[in-house]
Amino acid sequence: MIKNEDFKSEAYSFIDWISGYFNHVENFPVRSQVNYGDIKKRLPEHPPYSGEPIEAIFNDFKNVIIPGVTHWQSPRNFAYFPANSSIPSVLAEILTAALGVQAMKWITSPAATELEEVVMDWLRQMIDLPEKFKGVIYDTASIASLSAVVAARERITGFKSNSFGTGKLPLRYYCSSETHSSIDKAIRIAGIGSENLVKVGTDIKYGMDPDQLEKSIKKDLGNNLLPTCIIATIGTTGTCAIDPVGEIAEIAKKYKVWLHIDAAFAGSALVLPEFRKEIHGLENADSIVFNPHKWMFTNFDCSVFFIKDRNHLQKTFSMVPEYLKTPDANEASDYSNWSLQLGRRFRSLKLWFVIRNFGVDEIKERIREHINLAIYFEQLINNHKDFELVVSRNLAVVCFRYHPEPVSEKNDLNKLNFSLLETINKTGKAYLSHTVIDDKFTLRFVCAQTNTKKTHVTEAFNTIVNCSKQID
């Protein structure tokens, strides 16, 4: 086993490799080119009984593991939503790993708790939320949304359902048909039942239709059902559509329903004054989540959750057995009572490094640049006779498809675009993902990776065009 005195020399070789990786990541195939089972074939079936030198393990990392890595930090990665990182975030993560902090309570690491309070308030200011909103850092938006779903359940039942269940009166939750699948999963896990998640139709921009929402709530009230929570989205997964938060907030207020905002990807853009002005009613939400690990250059995992009344969260999740009782309980934020998890990583450290090292102005400029690059890509699509937008661009997401003139039948176009996507991704020069919009197989181009520049977008477009010629 490696000894403490050897740490520095071994660490230098790792740092050298990481530095080279940052400089040359775009030279790797973006999507791994291996087939299923290729990596396992190169790994031993049984664990070693004697320790192996770090050099041998590191060599296997480079020769066996790296070929099976899809490079999320490549500026040529335009798939899904990003899982961005940056140098200050990585440096902070190294320190976090070395400290090995268990940040469940103030006394188990005072700095972790107090830094989280400060950083979350910085973010609150950056996205212009009222002071009454308090924040906590989770691992993912899935856990944050589950927390909101459960807190809404507890509030509507007078904080009794944790003890007695929800009773015979079904609780009703509402979201659009474009809402992320994590909401469906949260509804199941929270014991609400999938049948009590009402999928509301969307408008022509694929945002939730407020009129249909209100009709659904009125119908449920007429059937003696209990409207409990609305989940609105700022940046849906398929098209990055934005629900009309202001109108939805008025409906939530009218019927006294919890309003949760899932802004996992697009929430980072709320730091832009020009975008924030478009989002009305955010201050009327009960809870909001977005992920700095998507579009604020902080490596996975780091999901921030704001709640208007933290007592709702604490009354829902608080559980303090004797071995967790501490003398500071009435003063410090006990973040283990704000969530499902007792154990917590020191996530605020990397967010603190990123905000300080970038500065708010640079964060804004990076996000603006990504949006402008998406506008540029949108123009390239519009100016090419064989391609078309499927929906209008939203922020940094462009949804398009290949539509050469002779082909018009929907199934043929879907097959053609499926083939094009696979052809593009097999080149390793760019990585795209897809969605289905009104039965149209659609390519998604997400221009939000930390270091993507105009040259990468141009090269990606040329790759798309060249690949389309190969499948004609």
Side-chain angles (χ1 to χ4, degrees):
M1 188 179 74
I2 189 170
K3 298 178 181 178
N4 288 347
E5 55 264 32
D6 297 323
F7 173 78
K8 183 183 290 188
S9 61
E10 297 291 359
Y12 277 140
S13 65
F14 280 49
I15 296 298
D16 285 343
W17 185 90
I18 292 171
S19 177
Y21 180 73
F22 285 154
N23 290 330
H24 305 295
V25 61
E26 64 185 87
N27 296 332
F28 288 96
V30 188
R31 190 181 79 172
S32 173
Q33 303 295 294
V34 303
N35 295 315
Y36 179 74
D38 287 353
I39 304 301
K40 290 196 291 184
K41 290 175 184 176
R42 301 187 63 186
L43 297 171
E45 291 185 12
H46 306 289
Y49 286 93
S50 299
E52 300 179 39
I54 288 292
E55 294 86 350
I57 304 169
F58 191 33
N59 283 334
D60 283 347
F61 165 80
K62 291 181 282 188
N63 298 322
V64 179
I65 302 303
I66 287 297
V69 169
T70 288
H71 296 279
W72 286 80
Q73 304 315 313
S74 171
R76 304 178 192 276
N77 192 337
F78 304 101
Y80 306 105
F81 285 137
N84 280 342
S85 187
S86 63
I87 290 174
S89 181
V90 170
L91 292 174
E93 196 70 277
I94 292 171
L95 297 176
T96 301
L99 293 173
V101 163
Q102 165 52 284
M104 58 185 177
K105 303 177 74 65
W106 179 85
I107 204 166
T108 63
S109 186
T113 295
E114 296 185 31
L115 185 62
E116 188 162 340
E117 291 176 327
V118 169
V119 168
M120 288 302 295
D121 196 62
W122 284 3
L123 281 177
R124 179 196 62 77
Q125 296 173 53
M126 288 165 64
I127 65 172
D128 194 26
L129 281 179
E131 288 186 24
K132 57 188 170 184
F133 281 88
K134 302 301 178 184
V136 58
I137 304 178
Y138 291 147
D139 52 0
T140 62
S142 297
I143 294 298
S145 292
L146 174 60
S147 299
V149 164
V150 176
R153 182 196 73 189
E154 288 305 298
R155 186 178 76 171
I156 201 74
T157 61
F159 299 93
K160 294 179 180 178
S161 58
N162 268 345
S163 299
F164 303 105
T166 58
K168 296 180 180 180
L169 188 63
L171 310 183
R172 303 287 274 184
Y173 286 65
Y174 309 85
C175 67
S176 89
S177 53
E178 296 294 309
T179 302
H180 192 269
S181 60
S182 62
I183 302 302
D184 296 73
K185 189 176 290 188
I187 293 296
R188 294 180 182 183
I189 294 170
I192 306 301
S194 296
E195 294 300 315
N196 289 312
L197 178 61
V198 180
K199 295 294 182 75
V200 179
T202 59
D203 57 26
I204 58 173
K205 295 182 179 180
Y206 298 94
M208 187 189 295
D209 186 325
D211 290 335
Q212 290 193 39
L213 170 63
E214 187 162 20
K215 286 178 183 177
S216 296
I217 291 174
K218 286 181 176 179
K219 181 180 177 181
D220 285 345
L221 288 170
N223 291 325
N224 293 318
L225 303 175
L226 193 56
T228 301
C229 178
I230 302 167
I231 298 97
T233 306
I234 299 177
T236 60
T237 304
T239 65
C240 202
I242 298 167
D243 290 344
V245 174
E247 295 176 69
I248 293 170
E250 289 301 315
I251 294 170
K253 182 179 179 181
K254 180 178 179 180
Y255 294 98
K256 299 180 181 179
V257 175
W258 185 290
L259 175 58
H260 174 62
I261 307 293
D262 178 359
F265 168 67
S268 294
L270 292 169
V271 301
L272 304 180
E274 62 269 29
F275 179 61
R276 182 66 177 85
K277 288 177 183 177
E278 296 179 9
I279 308 300
H280 305 288
L282 198 63
E283 67 280 359
N284 294 321
D286 291 283
S287 56
I288 303 163
V289 61
F290 77 92
N291 293 343
H293 69 231
K294 281 189 168 69
W295 205 8
M296 203 176 277
F297 324 120
T298 306
N299 58 291
F300 190 85
D301 52 19
C302 184
S303 183
V304 296
F305 181 77
F306 292 95
I307 189 161
K308 184 181 292 182
D309 186 347
R310 62 180 178 180
N311 289 324
H312 290 142
L313 208 59
Q314 292 169 318
K315 288 174 73 173
T316 297
F317 291 110
S318 182
M319 185 172 289
V320 188
E322 185 61 37
Y323 53 82
L324 291 178
K325 291 179 180 178
T326 59
D328 57 84
N330 293 325
E331 293 184 37
S333 294
D334 187 349
Y335 280 123
S336 65
N337 285 326
W338 290 47
S339 64
L340 295 167
Q341 298 161 318
L342 172 62
R344 305 179 74 250
R345 299 184 69 239
F346 192 1
R347 296 185 181 93
S348 59
L349 188 68
K350 57 189 174 185
L351 195 50
W352 185 55
F353 266 57
V354 168
I355 295 173
R356 290 188 65 185
N357 191 243
F358 276 77
V360 176
D361 288 343
E362 177 64 17
I363 290 172
K364 291 178 180 178
E365 286 309 305
R366 289 284 183 108
I367 293 173
R368 281 195 187 102
E369 180 183 11
H370 290 156
I371 294 171
N372 288 331
L373 290 176
I375 292 171
Y376 168 64
F377 183 80
E378 179 184 38
Q379 292 168 344
L380 293 174
I381 293 295
N382 279 331
N383 292 335
H384 197 289
K385 64 181 180 62
D386 290 335
F387 291 89
E388 64 183 10
L389 294 177
V390 178
V391 296
S392 299
R393 174 194 56 81
N394 284 312
L395 294 174
V397 180
V398 181
C399 294
F400 70 102
R401 68 173 178 171
Y402 181 44
H403 191 169
E405 191 171 304
V407 186
S408 59
E409 209 281 324
K410 184 182 290 185
N411 287 337
D412 291 339
L413 283 170
N414 287 346
K415 291 176 182 177
L416 200 61
N417 279 275
F418 175 82
S419 179
L420 174 59
L421 181 65
E422 284 301 296
T423 303
I424 294 165
N425 290 339
K426 285 179 180 178
T427 68
K429 296 178 181 178
Y431 186 25
L432 278 66
S433 58
H434 82 279
T435 188
V436 175
I437 303 172
D438 294 334
D439 297 324
K440 299 174 184 176
F441 188 94
T442 301
L443 279 63
R444 294 174 71 257
F445 190 91
V446 183
C447 195
Q449 203 285 323
T450 305
N451 298 307
T452 296
K453 303 297 181 186
K454 189 174 183 178
T455 53
H456 301 117
V457 176
T458 303
E459 290 167 0
F461 179 74
N462 291 336
T463 297
I464 292 166
V465 172
N466 290 335
C467 288
S468 72
K469 296 175 182 177
Q470 298 174 28
I471 63 171
D472 284 346

